[in-house]
Amino acid sequence: MKKHILSILALGACLSAGAQTMNVVVGEVTYQIPAAKAGEMIYSDATSLTVLDKTFSIADISDIYIDGAEVTENAVSVNWNGNKASVFVPYNIMSQLAIEAEGSDVSIIQSADVAEEITYTLSGSSTDGSLYMDGELKTTFVMNGLNLTNPTGAAINIRDGKRIAIILNEGTENYLADGANGSHKAAFMVNGHSEFNGAGTLTIVGNTKHAFWGDEYVELKKKLGTINITKAVGDGMNINQYFLQKGGTLNITGVGDDGIQVSKTDDDTDENNGEIMLEGGTTYIKVTGTAAKGINAESNITASAESTANITVETTGGGEWDSDKQKTKASACMKSDANINIAGGTFKFTSTGSGGKGINCDGELTIDGGTFNISTTGSRYTYGSTGGGGGWPGGGNSGNSDKRSSAKGMKVDGNVTINGGTIVVSATGGEGSECIESKKIMTINGGTIEANGYDDCLNSASHMYIKGGQIYANATNNDGLDANGNMYIQGGTHIVYGGSSPECGIDANEENGYHVVITGGTLVGIGGGTSYPTSSGTTQPTIVYKGTIIGNSYYSLTKDDGTPILAFKSLKGSSSGGSSYVAAGPGGPGGGNGNFTVLITSPELTKGSKYILYSGSTVSGDDFHGLYMEPTVSSTGTSIYVVDGLSLPYSSNSNSGGWW
């Protein structure tokens, strides 16, 4: 008893003499009390010591020592060293934290009385350690060279429910991993709003389920360094409410399910509920699981005009049967259960599995800007027998379409509206592979589209409006532009190719009473057939030529005085011109070796005027995929069609009034 009293009196004298900090050690926790803050220390009945508002049991104190350490208020540090963790707590929050540290497992519970944000700095290494934290106030965690593996649960489990700032200290490498076969949700779990920042690096490995799980929104700040997710049995990042990336580098590989999965919370009033917002940073995601998604949102996916996001996603998994929804499902680089609105950013999507999609949108897709490079090469996935039965390849109306999934560059259940941006898309996986498909209305107001498809390049289940922009479309086995309603050509500059007869450069659903209506724009459509403009509503004349086309040869259209209207280099035609494609043989519509139908419309065409179409022309100037709007024609070549008195809606060297 006397010894304890003398020790306390001696410590008090040292503090009075100007020593900086008294350290009270309880197990693996050290409480730091500066001399200037200690005040009166109460030693009671040889059983307790009270400093400020913290009462220590004498029996629990393993050491008390004095040093010159500087103490920062509201700053806790945890350092792991093998099977031991050391925790340092400043004087001002000693009574507000309930801390248990057993070996390398640390639990910290913040009192509801905590009034100011606490910062926890985490460092050191352990292959058998963990951190659990709970509280009721926003908190910051600084990772400062942390390497932590918990073989039986989450490496870090934060249950605070408030804003949780996660700082990766610059120049540090940090690592979190969990053990296999646990019941926890992720190696790194946050029940709160996670905000990642700091120029360091964090690697996460999820051996039981997800790598990272967030119960509420996750934000990657502009100055974030790098997050690497190198393994997850489930999702790389599984998030509720929303995901917002403003910066940083995010790499996700080795996952069994989705790269980033965002679900709605149970509270419909939560901000941006179920959304993914891509505003900056660089992201690379590769998923290999069956029907896995690279980026998957239960609600909208957006990128504003100011977005500098650079997103690369690869999927390799095939399709599968969804017994709950009674339909097939397949992989997708980007999937939204609602709408996708992109106005900026760069997106590179590659899908190689059967039935895979670049973009899969259950709602409406709107593109106002940004750059897209999309490639799908997978074959059609079929569950059991489709039931067979008629229909054009890829048309989606024959048999049981719910039992099959074809590869698509962009597959949209709602309307597609493209107002700007650059879109390069290919879908070359065989039957049903389409570049851009809308199950409703498609509208092209601007932007540049370059599409190469096995099946249709652009397909709408309803009307299609081509109002502006530039379109290059090359379909090898179906139509360049295919509307299952009316097709309205109103503006822009376009060159489109369809396959051999009966496929068309442009195709409206004429057999069901729909038509092509042309009121503006420049279009050259080349295919085995074509849909013809209707006299009802068409105000701009069109020239339709049926005959031999030589592949890789130049054609020019001029007025009778030799003034060029436009010129084009045909990518398709007979082999005599070194063609890249051979037309259908005799017997089909537009048959004959090298026979194609060429539809040409331009605002420069005038009703009643005379025009001449030449083959073998010598052409120079600026072009868009072989279409010259202001060509220099140094040699016209051979006249193949003379229109003497152009009429509305079209003049043709064939009496055929439709693509049949």
Side-chain angles (χ1 to χ4, degrees):
M1 178 83 65
K2 184 177 180 181
K3 182 178 179 181
H4 286 305
I5 295 172
L6 291 174
S7 297
I8 298 300
L9 292 175
L11 287 170
C14 290
L15 289 172
S16 299
Q20 292 183 349
T21 302
M22 178 176 73
N23 298 274
V24 180
V25 182
V26 178
E28 297 177 5
V29 183
T30 300
Y31 296 90
Q32 300 175 300
I33 306 160
K37 302 293 184 179
E40 183 180 4
M41 295 182 291
I42 301 173
Y43 179 70
S44 177
D45 299 328
T47 61
S48 66
L49 172 66
T50 300
V51 184
L52 299 174
D53 56 357
K54 175 72 173 179
T55 298
F56 300 93
S57 171
I58 295 298
D60 293 337
I61 297 175
S62 58
D63 193 11
I64 299 177
Y65 65 92
I66 306 297
D67 65 12
E70 294 186 4
V71 180
T72 302
E73 293 184 354
N74 304 311
V76 176
S77 66
V78 185
N79 179 266
W80 282 266
N81 185 6
N83 59 1
K84 180 181 179 181
S86 300
V87 184
F88 292 85
V89 182
Y91 69 97
N92 70 309
I93 53 175
M94 293 187 302
S95 66
Q96 297 171 355
L97 300 180
I99 302 175
E100 294 181 6
E102 297 183 4
S104 52
D105 295 317
V106 179
S107 171
I108 302 174
I109 309 297
Q110 289 186 179
S111 166
D113 296 332
V114 172
E116 296 184 46
E117 181 174 355
I118 297 174
T119 296
Y120 298 88
T121 298
L122 313 178
S123 60
S125 177
S126 175
T127 58
D128 189 14
S130 66
L131 174 67
Y132 177 92
M133 180 267 174
D134 200 354
E136 299 181 22
L137 188 70
K138 63 183 181 179
T139 308
T140 294
F141 288 84
V142 178
M143 294 189 183
N144 189 39
L146 175 66
N147 190 318
L148 191 61
T149 298
N150 181 3
T152 60
I156 296 180
N157 186 356
I158 301 170
R159 311 298 300 176
D160 188 284
K162 303 298 181 181
R163 192 274 289 139
I164 307 299
I166 301 158
I167 309 299
L168 311 180
N169 261 0
E170 185 173 2
T172 66
E173 298 279 342
N174 304 279
Y175 177 89
L176 299 175
D178 62 353
N181 304 316
S183 59
H184 55 286
K185 293 183 178 180
F188 187 4
M189 299 171 59
V190 179
N191 178 21
H193 317 300
S194 308
E195 297 183 359
F196 288 85
N197 209 344
T201 298
L202 171 62
T203 298
I204 312 175
V205 174
N207 290 305
T208 282
K209 197 170 184 181
H210 311 306
F212 175 87
W213 173 81
D215 192 48
E216 297 177 78
Y217 75 72
V218 172
E219 179 178 340
L220 308 188
K221 297 286 191 177
K222 288 184 178 180
K223 294 183 179 181
L224 175 67
T226 301
I227 297 176
N228 297 314
I229 293 173
T230 58
K231 179 184 178 181
V233 174
D235 302 330
M237 302 188 82
N238 184 279
I239 299 164
N240 292 315
Q241 192 177 358
Y242 70 79
F243 172 80
L244 169 60
Q245 184 173 5
K246 292 183 175 180
T249 298
L250 175 62
N251 299 310
I252 300 177
T253 58
V255 298
D257 203 347
D258 299 340
I260 302 172
Q261 161 69 44
V262 177
S263 302
K264 291 182 178 179
T265 66
D266 294 333
D267 187 350
D268 290 337
T269 66
D270 279 345
E271 180 184 19
N272 303 120
N273 206 358
E275 296 188 10
I276 292 176
M277 294 163 282
L278 304 170
E279 296 301 322
T282 300
T283 297
Y284 172 75
I285 299 173
K286 182 174 183 178
V287 295
T288 59
T290 300
K293 315 298 188 290
I295 298 172
N296 192 8
E298 195 170 355
S299 188
N300 300 329
I301 298 176
T302 61
S304 70
E306 292 74 30
S307 174
T308 58
N310 191 329
I311 313 294
T312 300
V313 182
E314 300 175 14
T315 71
T316 63
E320 67 179 2
W321 177 251
D322 187 331
S323 58
D324 292 334
K325 296 182 179 180
Q326 287 294 294
K327 62 188 299 185
T328 57
K329 61 181 181 180
S331 297
C333 298
M334 176 182 284
K335 170 67 168 66
S336 168
D337 293 352
N339 303 317
I340 297 177
N341 298 277
I342 305 294
T346 301
F347 304 87
K348 184 178 181 180
F349 297 152
T350 304
S351 179
T352 59
S354 59
K357 314 290 190 293
I359 291 177
N360 190 351
C361 178
D362 290 354
E364 297 190 354
L365 171 66
T366 302
I367 298 176
D368 294 321
T371 301
F372 297 81
N373 193 315
I374 301 174
S375 172
T376 63
T377 58
S379 60
R380 171 178 282 175
Y381 169 77
T382 302
Y383 173 76
S385 173
T386 63
W392 294 112
N397 296 317
S398 62
N400 187 348
S401 60
D402 286 341
K403 290 189 176 181
R404 66 189 185 197
S405 177
S406 298
K408 312 277 184 181
M410 299 179 176
K411 184 260 183 184
V412 183
D413 288 349
N415 297 328
V416 171
T417 304
I418 298 175
N419 301 312
T422 299
I423 301 168
V424 179
V425 54
S426 65
T428 57
E431 186 176 5
S433 297
E434 296 178 325
C435 296
I436 305 176
E437 178 193 41
S438 167
K439 293 296 187 181
K440 292 186 178 178
I441 295 173
M442 183 180 296
T443 303
I444 312 298
N445 293 313
T448 297
I449 300 172
E450 302 177 11
N452 288 278
Y454 180 94
D455 212 297
D456 298 333
C457 287
L458 276 64
N459 175 279
S460 64
S462 182
H463 307 310
M464 184 181 295
Y465 296 85
I466 309 296
K467 298 182 178 182
Q470 300 179 104
I471 299 172
Y472 161 73
N474 186 359
T476 57
N477 288 271
N478 216 320
D479 304 321
L481 307 180
D482 182 9
N484 286 286
N486 290 325
M487 180 176 295
Y488 299 91
I489 309 297
Q490 300 172 340
T493 303
H494 320 290
I495 181 165
V496 299
Y497 295 90
S500 61
S501 177
E503 315 307 345
C504 305
I506 62 169
D507 180 16
N509 192 358
E510 293 178 323
E511 60 184 356
N512 288 319
Y514 296 103
H515 301 283
V516 174
V517 180
I518 300 178
T519 58
T522 299
L523 169 67
V524 174
I526 303 172
T530 190
S531 289
Y532 287 69
T534 178
S535 58
S536 176
T538 294
T539 60
Q540 180 171 291
T542 297
I543 295 173
V544 179
Y545 164 76
K546 284 192 173 184
T548 300
I549 293 293
I550 307 299
N552 291 325
S553 183
Y554 289 88
Y555 293 79
S556 62
L557 179 67
T558 71
K559 293 182 179 180
D560 60 346
D561 63 1
T563 302
I565 302 296
L566 56 79
F568 60 92
K569 178 183 179 181
S570 178
L571 298 182
K572 295 187 177 182
S574 68
S575 58
S576 60
S579 73
S580 57
Y581 187 86
V582 178
N593 185 28
N595 278 11
F596 276 84
T597 300
V598 181
L599 181 147
I600 302 172
T601 187
S602 166
E604 302 299 317
L605 298 179
T606 304
K607 179 182 177 182
S609 297
K610 183 177 181 179
Y611 299 94
I612 306 172
L613 180 64
Y614 293 95
S615 67
S617 303
T618 301
V619 178
S620 60
D622 295 331
D623 73 296
F624 174 68
H625 287 275
L627 176 58
Y628 296 79
M629 295 294 294
E630 297 180 355
T632 298
V633 181
S634 54
S635 174
T636 56
T638 303
S639 171
I640 58 173
Y641 180 35
V642 178
V643 180
D644 194 356
L646 181 60
S647 61
L648 275 173
Y650 65 90
S651 294
S652 175
N653 66 332
S654 168
N655 292 324
S656 174
W659 65 281
W660 283 108

